Amino acid sequence: MSRSAHPAGPRHADVLPEGHYTAPPADLNTLDPKVWSRTVERDEQGIATVAGLRVTDLAEEFGTPAYFLDESDFRARCRAWAEAFGADADVFYAGKAFLSRAVVRWLHEEGLNLDVCSGGELSTALSAGMPAERIAFHGNNKSEDEIRRAVEAGVGRIVLDSFQEIVRVAHIAQSLGRRQRVQIRVTVGVEAHTHEFIATAHEDQKFGIALAGGQAAEAVRRALKLDGLELIGIHSHIGSQIFDMAGFEVSARRVVQLLAEVRDEHGVELPEIDLGGGLGIAYTSEDDPREPHEIAKALGEIVTRECEAAGLRTPRISVEPGRAIVGPTAFTLYRVGTIKPLDGLRTYVSVDGGMSDNIRTALYDAEYSVALVSRTSDAEPVLSRVVGKHCESGDIIVRDAFLPADLAPGDLLAVPATGAYCRSMASNYNHALRPPVVAVRDGEARVIVRRETEEDLLRLDVG
Ligand code: LLP
């Protein structure tokens, strides 16, 4: 990614500060379809619309800040993943990216499966009618209660993450007179980053059981012996916001090697492998994500080739995209409150949300785009930082962005690609009220997660 400290183009100061930005875009009014959900455009007055609804009307009706989720885009992405992987593979939407009952119903209707990783996500899924056999249950420290509820509900698989859990799940399943289908999550020694992967001999993180040192092979040995478990396969998730398929290739190769070792030692060919999620999306115009059909083709070829080489039947593949499905389908709408031009530095634009509705910039130094959406402007682009209203200088939503010089309090800004890990990681910091999620489709808008109220906050405060 080319980054420049002194980009060409209009400036509001003689020297621009260090930062993560390129030259200002030729036209600040363009809403790049790469980063905005599919039905976003501007109407003849220059007001941005989504699913045919003007953001100015949406702000009026639902308030700000608020997340607007483009339902037809979400469904189209589900279908694209399901079609790309076809009947011989399974797509599990990773609920941690964003989960609500409406989303569960859409997933069900579009034929996707669901990955959950807590009792709360499990209840949301079951209460919205997701068939239990289409649910995978994840987590590195599931409680006994969560395991019991998952087994009782009849989830399609539990992904085992430690030696303790192998015994715990087997014991609970047996006590309930069940044989639980399980996968073992392994760490393959690949550490994936946004644009690169670094192969490491040892994983230094909390998830899974290492292939290194024969740990994963030992886990398989133990799981195969326990009556309460039906071991159906191996799981590997290498990271998030990945563009490069090379990490998946190494992961698939190492998982297939383990399948071959299991076959040699136990005479058993495990029928499934799960290669996890982690596929990247465009947060800015510089990101170039892969399409689901390219990913399906690449993964299918790697697994088939490796299995042929090892003399194994090709297992059924599953994947767990979260961000790649929901991320691009939503934007957050904010209203500008105050504007501070800091000479020689940048202009600080404060909006009515912040790190409580999008922690990703503070937590991961994530990059986002932003646009003035309540009108167009031909004013000069000004290097700006969009910040929230929290008592914290790290309360940054968009670190570096160009916004028009005539931006004023009351204008609406929207930050695209906030469908994943924004509402799901939202907090009540400073007793902020978490924003609503409004689904929009074909000219209609409906709240699917309502805005929190002060009453909600006070209800929990029982002292
Ligand atoms: N499967 C497993 C086992 C996972 O742990 C995750 C993400 C996924 C699938 C989905 O990954 P995705 O396709 O959404 O990248 N909060 C962070 C990301 C942490 C993801 C944790 N696990 C963020 O905001 O970027």
Side-chain angles (χ1 to χ4, degrees):
M1 225 179 277
S2 66
R3 298 292 186 200
S4 155
H6 301 284
R11 307 164 172 192
H12 81 304
D14 288 344
V15 180
L16 286 170
E18 267 317 303
H20 286 252
Y21 52 87
T22 52
D27 176 13
L28 289 185
N29 298 317
T30 304
L31 300 174
D32 183 351
K34 231 189 202 186
V35 295
W36 293 87
S37 73
R38 290 180 198 184
T39 69
V40 169
E41 56 191 11
R42 285 196 192 264
D43 69 8
E44 60 290 341
Q45 288 167 272
I47 300 173
T49 64
V50 58
L53 298 160
R54 298 200 300 191
V55 292
T56 42
D57 296 335
L58 291 171
E60 198 64 38
E61 185 172 352
F62 301 103
T64 53
Y67 307 98
F68 292 93
L69 177 51
D70 193 335
E71 180 182 341
S72 58
D73 192 4
F74 184 96
R75 287 177 181 270
R77 287 174 196 276
C78 289
R79 283 197 291 275
W81 277 86
E83 279 160 22
F85 279 85
D88 298 331
D90 299 300
V91 180
F92 286 76
Y93 168 76
K96 66 207 79 185
F98 174 66
L99 199 65
S100 77
R101 290 201 269 206
V103 160
V104 173
R105 287 192 291 271
W106 302 342
L107 293 166
H108 188 192
E109 285 162 17
E110 301 300 342
L112 262 64
N113 307 286
L114 177 61
D115 140 17
V116 300
C117 67
S118 70
E121 289 184 0
L122 179 65
S123 344
T124 304
L126 294 173
S127 76
M130 179 58 85
E133 63 275 13
R134 281 169 48 193
I135 298 176
F137 196 67
H138 268 282
N140 67 303
N141 187 17
K142 307 167 190 76
S143 70
E144 294 202 359
D145 176 59
E146 286 172 322
I147 296 169
R148 187 167 298 107
R149 282 161 59 199
V151 175
E152 268 172 350
V155 299
R157 61 175 73 157
I158 293 181
V159 182
L160 303 172
D161 195 274
S162 64
F163 283 100
Q164 287 86 0
E165 207 171 72
I166 295 173
V167 178
R168 219 169 268 159
V169 173
H171 180 75
I172 291 172
Q174 217 169 359
S175 72
L176 293 168
R178 301 283 181 91
R179 190 149 185 258
Q180 178 61 49
R181 287 159 60 88
V182 294
Q183 291 187 335
I184 293 174
R185 177 164 173 178
V186 301
T187 43
V188 293
V190 172
E191 193 183 310
H193 293 295
T194 304
H195 289 105
E196 66 195 271
F197 77 97
I198 303 162
T200 52
H202 303 288
E203 287 283 2
D204 189 2
Q205 48 90 18
K206 68 175 183 168
F207 292 109
I209 299 176
L211 282 176
Q215 298 278 302
E218 175 60 18
V220 170
R221 219 167 276 139
R222 293 190 193 179
L224 284 173
K225 280 200 195 117
L226 294 167
D227 291 339
L229 306 181
E230 179 188 349
L231 180 63
I232 58 167
I234 301 298
H235 183 286
S236 162
H237 170 76
I238 58 169
S240 262
Q241 185 60 3
I242 303 163
F243 292 102
D244 189 344
M245 293 303 289
F248 288 100
E249 184 151 344
V250 176
S251 166
R253 197 175 317 129
R254 294 189 185 164
V255 166
V256 171
Q257 270 165 19
L258 177 63
L259 293 188
E261 281 171 41
V262 171
R263 186 249 345 252
D264 295 346
E265 184 177 340
H266 306 281
V268 176
E269 288 200 25
L270 298 177
E272 295 188 17
I273 65 174
D274 189 313
L275 295 172
L279 293 140
I281 62 163
Y283 285 103
T284 73
S285 298
E286 291 169 40
D287 295 327
D288 281 311
R290 301 273 190 124
E291 291 296 325
H293 67 89
E294 293 176 80
I295 295 159
K297 186 165 176 282
L299 292 182
E301 281 172 6
I302 299 164
V303 174
T304 308
R305 191 181 62 224
E306 295 299 321
C307 286
E308 270 169 16
L312 285 164
R313 276 192 300 277
T314 305
R316 191 173 176 86
I317 300 176
S318 48
V319 286
E320 296 170 341
R323 183 192 325 266
I325 291 178
V326 72
T329 67
F331 61 82
T332 316
L333 191 61
Y334 301 101
R335 198 174 290 280
V336 174
T338 62
I339 299 177
K340 286 184 193 165
L342 301 190
D343 213 22
L345 290 168
R346 69 191 90 235
T347 292
Y348 277 78
V349 176
S350 295
V351 296
D352 50 1
M355 64 197 299
S356 53
D357 59 69
N358 186 350
I359 189 66
R360 298 193 66 262
T361 308
L363 200 55
Y364 313 118
D365 213 7
E367 285 181 38
Y368 281 91
S369 317
V370 59
L372 168 61
V373 287
S374 43
R375 61 186 173 90
T376 52
S377 166
D378 295 324
E380 168 193 0
V382 166
L383 179 63
S384 306
R385 176 161 289 175
V386 180
V387 297
K389 58 181 289 173
H390 293 282
C391 299
E392 189 85 45
S393 52
D395 173 26
I396 296 168
I397 302 170
V398 186
R399 193 171 298 281
D400 297 297
F402 286 90
L403 286 168
D406 65 351
L407 193 75
D411 279 332
L412 293 173
L413 293 182
V415 174
T418 58
Y421 304 111
C422 286
R423 180 59 179 80
S424 70
M425 293 173 80
S427 77
N428 290 122
Y429 183 41
N430 296 142
H431 283 202
L433 304 170
R434 285 177 296 175
V437 181
V438 181
V440 290
R441 182 183 176 183
D442 299 335
E444 281 179 22
R446 76 186 168 100
V447 174
I448 59 170
V449 179
R450 73 160 167 80
R451 186 184 300 283
E452 261 175 345
T453 61
E454 288 183 3
E455 222 170 54
D456 290 328
L457 292 184
L458 291 173
R459 202 175 302 139
L460 297 178
D461 186 338
V462 294

